[in-house]
Amino acid sequence: MPEREEEKTGIWRQRIQDAIKLATNGEWQKAIEANEVILKVFPTDVDAYNRLGRAFMEMGELDKAREAYRRTLEMDPHNAIAEKNLSRLSVLRESQVPVKEERRAVPPDI
């Protein structure tokens, strides 16, 4: 049975790496899909919710981004990433800043 757990962990790690790579390459829709798959198997993965929130922000789906970050905070009330991004989203809502439709890759060192 431990071999099965190791296999499951390996698959999980690979899916995480795939989701990160998609985001790094600016493939935001695919990054959304990859993180949603992770969350179906690991519904309490706060990092996946944070990645999902970022991808939704990049796609201009701000309500979905807010929901992803709120889910993070439900599980981890002091998650700095979710807090920071919810704050950014509230500023966007208040200022009504238009979301750019431009898509670009994110440098890996960020």
Side-chain angles (χ1 to χ4, degrees), residues 25-36:
N25 292 335
E27 298 180 62
W28 297 111
Q29 185 58 48
K30 290 181 181 179
I32 289 169
E33 294 164 7
N35 284 296
E36 287 175 336

Side-chain angles (χ1 to χ4, degrees), residues 10-51:
I11 292 169
W12 177 68
R13 286 184 186 144
Q14 184 59 52
R15 289 194 185 269
I16 289 170
Q17 292 305 313
D18 291 345
I20 291 169
K21 183 177 180 180
L22 290 166
T24 301
N25 292 335
E27 298 180 62
W28 297 111
Q29 185 58 48
K30 290 181 181 179
I32 289 169
E33 294 164 7
N35 284 296
E36 287 175 336
V37 167
I38 291 168
L39 289 167
K40 284 181 183 177
V41 178
F42 302 98
T44 59
D45 186 333
V46 295
D47 293 327
Y49 275 110
N50 277 331
R51 289 190 303 270

Side-chain angles (χ1 to χ4, degrees), residues 1-97:
M1 200 57 96
E3 291 175 19
R4 182 75 175 145
E5 287 302 313
E6 287 179 25
E7 180 182 335
K8 189 175 177 181
T9 300
I11 292 169
W12 177 68
R13 286 184 186 144
Q14 184 59 52
R15 289 194 185 269
I16 289 170
Q17 292 305 313
D18 291 345
I20 291 169
K21 183 177 180 180
L22 290 166
T24 301
N25 292 335
E27 298 180 62
W28 297 111
Q29 185 58 48
K30 290 181 181 179
I32 289 169
E33 294 164 7
N35 284 296
E36 287 175 336
V37 167
I38 291 168
L39 289 167
K40 284 181 183 177
V41 178
F42 302 98
T44 59
D45 186 333
V46 295
D47 293 327
Y49 275 110
N50 277 331
R51 289 190 303 270
L52 187 61
R54 173 63 187 265
F56 279 133
M57 283 176 62
E58 292 293 334
M59 293 294 294
E61 297 184 43
L62 304 185
D63 289 335
K64 289 181 179 181
R66 278 185 200 88
E67 181 57 28
Y69 290 127
R70 285 187 188 120
R71 294 291 303 270
T72 297
L73 291 175
E74 286 174 9
M75 293 177 277
D76 181 5
H78 303 290
N79 187 286
I81 294 168
E83 288 174 344
K84 176 181 71 174
N85 285 307
L86 277 173
S87 178
R88 286 179 178 170
L89 286 166
S90 70
V91 169
L92 282 175
R93 177 178 276 172
E94 291 169 10
S95 66
Q96 297 297 312
V97 174

